[in-house]
Amino acid sequence: MPRFYLPDPLHADTIISLPEASAHHAARVLRLSAGDAVTLFDGSGAEWPASISHIDRRAVEVHVHHAVPVERESPLRITLAQGISSGERMDYTLQKAVELGITAIQPIACARSVVKLAGERADKRRSHWQNLVIAACEQCGRNRIPAVAAIAPLTSWLAQPDSTATRLMFAPEADHTLHNLPRPAGPVIMLAGPEGGFAPHEYTAALAAGFIPIRLGPRVLRTETAALAALAALQTLWGDL
């Protein structure tokens, strides 16, 4: 059943208009008709069965029925701090991370990041990533939207205190694997480097900030693969896979 995210709180037995992009998708891509059933969600954790009451090429109105509490979030609270990679690689990583249950996303500017973003370009890219996350939630059935934080330089982000989280970073030559670690008692932060990996001074700074180097098997994984492999492993060991 088609699912659409609404940024404003939903209420039972009301008629609302879908946002422009969602209306276009419903009318022009999915070619839905009046009377068709859809599912709405507003990020609060519930989903709302609804039906299309009016549809044309420019607007779609839906009748909202009632809230159904459906929780599909992982028991693991994982923040992905991802070194910014280029174009489709970053998009792919974030989209699949949402499907694998990530809680929040922190884009990181690293010394070896191929893409350099600042100012208006950084704001536009963050907005693009957040919309991508919303679309992934619509597709995979999640009713809560992981937030994409503002891009932060790695060294300044590492200085932010967080004593409650288990901090992991990926390093091909590390001694530890995920099997060596105890089940996390609280949130987890995963730090993944960009295409070129971490610069030596960044690696040292991450160690000083309490990050545990983790080896993801005997092979070197690409930046768009490492975080997703680790997420799948964490969810298998301690989550909901």
Side-chain angles (χ1 to χ4, degrees), residues 110-124:
C110 299
R112 294 177 177 172
S113 292
V114 174
V115 178
K116 307 295 183 182
L117 298 170
E120 185 177 351
R121 287 188 65 222
D123 293 338
K124 287 183 177 179

Side-chain angles (χ1 to χ4, degrees), residues 10 18 22 29 39 46 88 94 99 105 124-125 154 174 214 238:
L10 293 166
L18 293 183
S22 297
V29 179
T39 298
E88 293 181 358
L94 300 192
E99 294 177 24
I105 296 164
K124 287 183 177 179
R125 190 62 63 88
L154 176 58
I214 294 297
W238 303 304

Side-chain angles (χ1 to χ4, degrees), residues 33-180:
S33 303
D36 284 347
V38 297
T39 298
L40 310 178
F41 66 105
D42 59 10
S44 63
E47 58 188 25
W48 301 70
S51 55
I52 295 178
S53 57
H54 170 79
I55 187 168
D56 58 35
R57 295 171 64 89
R58 293 179 295 179
V60 177
E61 293 182 345
V62 295
H63 179 203
V64 184
H65 300 317
H66 56 276
V68 178
V70 179
E71 191 62 77
R72 299 191 178 99
E73 296 304 296
S74 169
L76 294 176
R77 291 177 293 149
I78 306 174
T79 295
L80 172 59
Q82 175 66 50
I84 296 172
S85 55
S86 55
E88 293 181 358
R89 289 182 175 182
M90 188 73 172
D91 288 0
Y92 179 85
T93 302
L94 300 192
Q95 181 188 64
K96 302 309 176 186
V98 170
E99 294 177 24
L100 287 167
I102 203 73
T103 305
I105 296 164
Q106 173 62 69
I108 296 292
C110 299
R112 294 177 177 172
S113 292
V114 174
V115 178
K116 307 295 183 182
L117 298 170
E120 185 177 351
R121 287 188 65 222
D123 293 338
K124 287 183 177 179
R125 190 62 63 88
R126 179 191 181 187
S127 177
H128 165 76
W129 290 329
Q130 188 67 74
N131 288 332
L132 183 148
V133 165
I134 290 170
C137 288
E138 290 178 331
Q139 181 274 323
C140 74
R142 292 183 65 174
N143 293 317
R144 298 185 188 274
I145 307 294
V148 179
I151 297 170
L154 176 58
T155 51
S156 61
W157 176 77
L158 288 172
Q160 300 176 12
D162 191 340
S163 59
T164 63
T166 299
R167 296 182 163 199
L168 307 176
M169 67 174 174
F170 311 133
E173 304 301 324
D175 294 328
H176 292 287
T177 65
L178 290 173
H179 288 286
N180 303 140

